[in-house]
């Protein structure tokens, strides 16, 4: 794909700035082992009016892709730092939401309430959006004594994850709660869909490089056709998106 089809859109505090108007660069690093996915965004040749649009703690989104393809959300976080040099502007942002650690849950549930209903209720009442909740039927049993929570949302979710053999995480502004080996959405990638490199890092890990692809992020399962007719199933442990080469580079582990 040629360069002029590449497209970047930054949304900050409801205002859209895109690559048709500005020279924009970004790097996004996402990892399943990190509580704070990060982004670095740089605008070149801006004026004071554009600079003044950005404030600490403002919500910021990065969307990117190809004008004749798919443009999708890569990052949704909060502005942490703003640095202006001459006519350039650099923004640092994180996707970690401190509200999860600071929000207090103070709720009780009647006897025989299902665990899945409890998880859904405490997330929604805390003001968060749900990406996906799935608990296997053998673990989604009714709590015959009910339940009571007087702690942070993080502590409440950790407690429920332990009871249901699940894990939970926030990604792109949504909360996910499901078994550790669960992922209903499996992405397929090969050379025709953007795969550029697939190289072994060690016995269990590979490095996968593709054309920029917003669907490739942490905890995503991928079927990789690394050669014609040769496929392998992996899970992404970290993903980085770079506007400079318009690529996505992932570290992945083999799924046995």
């Amino acid at each position: 794909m040629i360069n002029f089809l590449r497209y970047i859109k930054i949304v900050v505090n409801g205002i859209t700035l895109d690559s048709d108007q500005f020279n924009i660069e970004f790097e996004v690093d996402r990892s399943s082992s990190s509580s704070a996915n990060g982004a670095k965004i740089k605008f070149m040749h801006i004026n004071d009016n554009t600079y003044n649009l950005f404030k600490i703690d403002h919500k910021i989104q990065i969307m990117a892709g190809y004008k004749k393809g798919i443009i999708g959300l890569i990052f949704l976080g909060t502005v942490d730092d703003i640095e202006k040099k001459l006519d350039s502007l650099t923004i640092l942002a994180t996707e970690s939401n401190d509200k999860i650690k600071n929000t207090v849950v103070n709720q009780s549930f009647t006897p025989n309430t299902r665990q899945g209903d409890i998880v859904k209720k405490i997330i929604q009442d805390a003001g968060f959006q749900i990406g996906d909740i799935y608990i296997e039927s053998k673990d989604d049993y009714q709590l015959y004594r009910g339940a009571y929570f007087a702690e942070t949302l993080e502590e409440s979710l950790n407690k429920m994850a332990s009871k249901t053999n699940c894990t939970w995480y926030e990604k792109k502004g949504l909360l996910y709660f499901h078994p550790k080996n669960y992922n209903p959405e499996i992405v397929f990638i090969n050379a025709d869909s953007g795969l550029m490199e697939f190289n072994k890092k060690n016995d269990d890990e590979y490095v996968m490089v593709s054309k920029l692809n917003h669907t490739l992020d942490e905890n995503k399962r991928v079927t990789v056709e690394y050669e014609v007719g040769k496929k392998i199933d992996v899970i992404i442990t970290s993903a980085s998106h770079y506007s400079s080469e318009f690529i996505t580079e992932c570290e992945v582990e083999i799924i046995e």
Side-chain angles (χ1 to χ4, degrees):
M1 297 183 185
I2 54 180
N3 289 352
F4 68 80
L5 294 179
R6 297 174 179 178
Y7 181 75
I8 302 168
K9 180 167 73 172
I10 308 296
V11 181
V12 59
N13 202 32
I15 298 171
T16 297
L17 309 169
D18 67 15
S19 52
D20 289 341
Q21 311 167 63
F22 299 94
N23 184 343
I24 305 172
E25 300 174 0
F26 68 79
E27 295 180 11
V28 174
D29 293 309
R30 316 186 58 86
S31 173
S32 58
S33 62
S34 173
S35 61
N37 294 322
K40 180 179 181 180
I41 307 158
K42 189 172 184 179
F43 287 83
M44 302 296 295
H45 312 302
I46 66 162
N47 57 32
D48 288 342
N49 289 335
T50 303
Y51 169 74
N52 291 331
L53 294 175
F54 295 90
K55 306 292 183 184
I56 300 296
D57 293 332
H58 272 179
K59 292 291 185 183
I60 190 165
Q61 298 180 38
I62 303 174
M63 301 182 72
Y66 298 90
K67 288 186 175 181
K68 290 190 177 181
I70 298 174
I71 298 166
L73 181 66
I74 289 177
F75 180 87
L76 173 59
T78 305
V79 175
D80 293 327
D81 188 58
I82 303 167
E83 182 180 359
K84 188 175 186 294
K85 289 184 178 180
L86 298 176
D87 61 349
S88 71
L89 172 67
T90 300
I91 298 158
L92 300 180
T94 54
E95 201 168 86
S96 172
N97 198 324
D98 288 338
K99 186 180 175 184
I100 294 175
K101 297 179 180 180
N102 298 328
T103 297
V104 175
V105 176
N106 192 348
Q107 286 180 281
S108 59
F109 294 87
T110 58
N112 300 318
T113 304
R114 285 198 174 275
Q115 299 203 96
D117 293 333
I118 292 173
V119 172
K120 182 178 180 180
K121 180 71 171 171
I122 62 176
I123 291 175
Q124 290 180 330
D125 285 1
F128 290 88
Q129 292 184 305
I130 294 170
D132 185 32
I133 294 177
Y134 174 75
I135 302 173
E136 292 184 352
S137 56
K138 65 181 179 64
D139 295 314
D140 191 17
Y141 50 82
Q142 295 174 324
L143 296 179
Y144 71 94
R145 290 185 176 178
Y148 175 68
F149 298 88
E151 57 209 1
T152 67
L153 177 60
E154 180 181 44
E155 291 169 333
S156 299
L157 292 175
N158 285 341
K159 180 185 294 184
M160 293 306 299
S162 177
K163 286 178 176 290
T164 56
N165 297 309
C166 287
T167 186
W168 69 272
Y169 53 90
E170 182 190 17
K171 182 165 65 175
K172 298 179 182 177
L174 302 175
L175 280 175
Y176 294 79
F177 190 102
H178 55 63
K180 293 180 180 179
N181 61 351
Y182 168 80
N183 196 325
E185 182 183 359
I186 299 177
V187 176
F188 175 78
I189 187 168
N190 62 8
D192 292 335
S193 58
L195 182 66
M196 300 166 66
E197 297 178 24
F198 189 73
N199 299 315
K200 195 168 187 176
K201 182 179 178 182
N202 54 45
D203 288 343
D204 299 315
E205 295 180 308
Y206 287 77
V207 175
M208 179 176 70
V209 181
S210 75
K211 293 179 180 178
L212 192 133
N213 187 333
H214 75 279
T215 68
L216 300 178
D217 50 33
E218 71 278 18
N219 298 304
K220 184 66 64 67
R221 292 191 174 206
V222 184
T223 296
V224 183
E225 186 177 48
Y226 56 95
E227 294 180 16
V228 177
K230 295 183 178 180
K231 301 176 184 178
I232 190 170
D233 290 331
V234 300
I235 188 166
I236 298 174
T237 57
S238 67
S240 297
H241 304 280
Y242 302 103
S243 65
S244 56
E245 300 174 74
F246 233 65
I247 62 170
T248 297
E249 181 175 322
C250 304
E251 292 190 359
V252 303
E253 293 180 352
I254 299 172
I255 299 173
E256 301 294 344

